[in-house]
Amino acid sequence: MENLVDEAAPQFKLPDHEYHRLEIDKAEAEEEDDNPIEEVRLTVPITDDPTQTVLTFRTWTLGMAACILLSFANQFFQYRSNQLSIDSVTIQILVLPIGKFMAAKLPKKQISVPFTKWSFSLNPGPFSMKEHVLITIFANCGAGGVYAVYIITIIKAFYHRGLHPVAAMLLAQTTQLLGYGWAGMFRKFLVDSPYMWWPETLVKVTLFMRLHEKEKRKKGELTRLQFFAIFFVASFAYYIFPAHFFPSLSALSFVCLIRKRSITAQQIGSGFEGLGIASFGLDWTTVASFLGSPLVCPFKTIANTMVGFILFMYVLVPIAYWSNFREAKRFPIFSSNTFEEDGRPFKITLNRSEYENYSKLYLSICFSFLYGLSFASLTAALTHFALYDGKNIFKNWKKKTNAVKDDVHTTLMKKYEVVPQWWFTVILVISVALSLVAVKVFDHQLQLPWWGLLLACFIALIFTLPVGVVQATTEKV
């Protein structure tokens, strides 16, 4: 074991300033990495430095700023026809030089909080990896946006109705906090279990390790961090072309160029409004659009998604459309809009009698199948969960202690005080209570009966664990 540690040492080396406080027991140093997932064993180290600074002035300042910035930016760009999303990885990269700059320039003098015994330092020492991780977690909380904002937007933009600011705030806050409550209730199964390995998180762990390692540059070569920085800047610079200057680079179609006036050719060859056959893209977001990021997901997920994508896009949809299933040819082959019976855009009305005398609502064939298969995938998540993970989860549920033996990483984490379970329970109870208040006080605006809210909470309770298990093992939902 010692020889293996010595051989591995040149490949990963912590910054010098972190060694003087790092004391690891010999028994701990020789601990075997018994995590059942190979990708975790190859990525996550089995050592820990509990003396590293975590909750510092830098953490709170940069973390809150990153959360607010990403929340605003992503919500703002969601309203663009060509949407742009800023991931927390961007903050993970940008915050490192800022943190090191603050560590070099801020004074180390202790500052006392008035009327309390508390004090803190603007600069407690070198910028640590744990500070970096926590700041990225802050940013990730804001990166996803608030789904309930879409409800508020739809009410104003399409139904031309107002929504009381208090009702809008309660809707946005309670839906977000309900999610934290559900997640905390299932923490034992989705976080503590070594089999829940969250592939995307491993990518970020690898990036943290590379950003904080000290690597000597060989003459005439680039360090991994330098190569990453060059590639990051180059990819960002290139994205400007397909995103703004030449959008056609996202989907170049030879079929459309040959038969410019043919509707059928557009439906077959267009990468924007058709099947995209014989077209190709020079934009990474287009190439990986069916999956998200092939560099993150396991191969079995990529293969499964690709097969499903081909069957849906190139078998099911064309057969249904060109066989005129349910009068599909009256509408575009791909469209998220709603239509009248004769193919004209559907006019939204709030007058009940006018609505009853109006045309039925129609969807494009692709959008119809997409909605139906989305519900089917939720049911499939229950089936997958029951067949593959149900037995272990049920055993774990019955026992007070974990049914699965703790791995080395869980053992390391037990040295720290955990967030009490009752915190999540309180958040969940308060969120449900505030939700009931919202639907009762603003019933004429939200139009959701109290039993509908409780039914929605019950459905969320049923699906949180199965969907969480699928995402934790495949990174897809």
Side-chain angles (χ1 to χ4, degrees), residues 390-406:
K391 186 176 180 181
N392 289 334
I393 295 292
F394 182 70
K395 287 181 179 179
N396 202 1
W397 194 290
K398 290 172 62 177
K399 295 185 179 183
K400 293 183 179 179
T401 58
N402 288 337
V404 182
K405 178 181 177 295
D406 290 340

Side-chain angles (χ1 to χ4, degrees), residues 86-153:
I86 304 175
D87 192 73
S88 59
V89 174
T90 306
I91 296 297
Q92 183 180 357
I93 297 168
L94 296 179
V95 82
L96 179 62
I98 299 175
K100 289 189 173 182
F101 176 80
M102 294 177 71
K105 298 299 181 180
L106 289 180
K108 297 183 179 181
K109 182 180 178 181
Q110 288 287 328
I111 299 177
S112 299
V113 180
F115 309 110
T116 67
K117 296 181 179 180
W118 297 344
S119 64
F120 65 93
S121 173
L122 296 178
N123 189 358
F127 186 65
S128 70
M129 186 188 298
K130 291 185 179 180
E131 288 179 277
H132 195 180
V133 171
L134 194 54
I135 292 169
T136 306
I137 293 174
F138 270 79
N140 200 55
C141 291
V146 181
Y147 193 77
V149 171
Y150 295 120
I151 301 175
I152 301 169
T153 304

Side-chain angles (χ1 to χ4, degrees), residues 7-27:
E7 291 176 7
Q11 301 174 14
F12 174 75
K13 186 178 180 182
L14 289 172
D16 292 339
H17 61 258
E18 294 184 2
Y19 270 120
H20 74 283
R21 297 170 68 182
L22 180 58
E23 295 181 357
I24 304 175
D25 239 306
K26 185 176 180 181

Side-chain angles (χ1 to χ4, degrees), residues 16-309:
D16 292 339
H17 61 258
E18 294 184 2
Y19 270 120
H20 74 283
R21 297 170 68 182
L22 180 58
E23 295 181 357
I24 304 175
D25 239 306
K26 185 176 180 181
E28 181 179 317
E30 295 181 353
E31 178 124 35
E32 181 183 358
D33 192 347
D34 57 353
N35 189 282
I37 306 299
E38 182 181 8
E39 290 85 350
V40 176
R41 295 197 300 270
L42 296 174
T43 305
V44 185
I46 60 173
T47 57
D48 175 49
D49 179 9
T51 64
Q52 280 191 9
T53 54
V54 183
L55 286 174
T56 65
F57 173 78
R58 295 186 296 252
T59 300
W60 287 106
T61 304
L62 296 178
M64 293 296 292
C67 181
I68 294 171
L69 178 63
L70 254 65
S71 179
F72 170 79
N74 284 337
Q75 197 67 58
F76 177 80
F77 287 122
Q78 284 296 313
Y79 295 107
R80 292 164 49 95
S81 56
N82 187 14
Q83 296 180 359
L84 175 64
S85 177
I86 304 175
D87 192 73
S88 59
V89 174
T90 306
I91 296 297
Q92 183 180 357
I93 297 168
L94 296 179
V95 82
L96 179 62
I98 299 175
K100 289 189 173 182
F101 176 80
M102 294 177 71
K105 298 299 181 180
L106 289 180
K108 297 183 179 181
K109 182 180 178 181
Q110 288 287 328
I111 299 177
S112 299
V113 180
F115 309 110
T116 67
K117 296 181 179 180
W118 297 344
S119 64
F120 65 93
S121 173
L122 296 178
N123 189 358
F127 186 65
S128 70
M129 186 188 298
K130 291 185 179 180
E131 288 179 277
H132 195 180
V133 171
L134 194 54
I135 292 169
T136 306
I137 293 174
F138 270 79
N140 200 55
C141 291
V146 181
Y147 193 77
V149 171
Y150 295 120
I151 301 175
I152 301 169
T153 304
I154 289 170
I155 291 174
K156 288 183 175 291
F158 294 99
Y159 292 94
H160 308 291
R161 296 175 57 187
L163 192 63
H164 196 280
V166 177
M169 178 61 71
L170 284 174
L171 176 64
Q173 294 297 329
T174 53
T175 50
Q176 289 295 101
L177 293 175
L178 277 170
Y180 283 107
W182 293 136
M185 298 297 290
F186 294 101
R187 176 178 57 174
K188 178 180 179 183
F189 310 101
L190 297 178
V191 179
D192 295 344
S193 173
Y195 292 95
M196 304 295 111
W197 56 290
W198 302 93
E200 185 177 358
T201 304
L202 286 188
V203 177
K204 295 181 179 179
V205 170
T206 303
L207 182 55
F208 278 122
M209 305 297 286
R210 299 291 81 82
L211 290 175
H212 285 268
E213 73 177 346
K214 188 174 182 180
E215 183 181 4
K216 291 184 178 180
R217 177 184 176 184
K218 296 180 180 178
K219 188 176 181 180
E221 296 182 4
L222 296 174
T223 65
R224 281 176 288 187
L225 184 58
Q226 289 173 328
F227 174 81
F228 175 82
I230 294 173
F231 188 83
F232 175 77
V233 173
S235 61
F236 179 81
Y238 174 76
Y239 179 75
I240 296 175
F241 291 93
H244 300 283
F245 298 122
F246 304 107
S248 58
L249 290 175
S250 297
L252 297 170
S253 175
F254 292 110
V255 176
C256 295
L257 292 174
I258 296 172
R259 301 292 299 274
K260 296 180 181 180
R261 299 184 181 277
S262 172
I263 295 177
T264 303
Q266 299 294 322
Q267 292 173 333
I268 293 175
S270 174
F272 291 106
E273 304 292 342
L275 297 173
I277 296 175
S279 66
F280 66 96
L282 298 176
D283 181 6
W284 175 252
T285 57
T286 301
V287 174
S289 60
F290 79 98
L291 186 63
S293 178
L295 302 179
V296 172
C297 300
F299 175 74
K300 62 179 181 180
T301 303
I302 298 174
N304 186 284
T305 305
M306 176 63 86
V307 171
F309 178 81

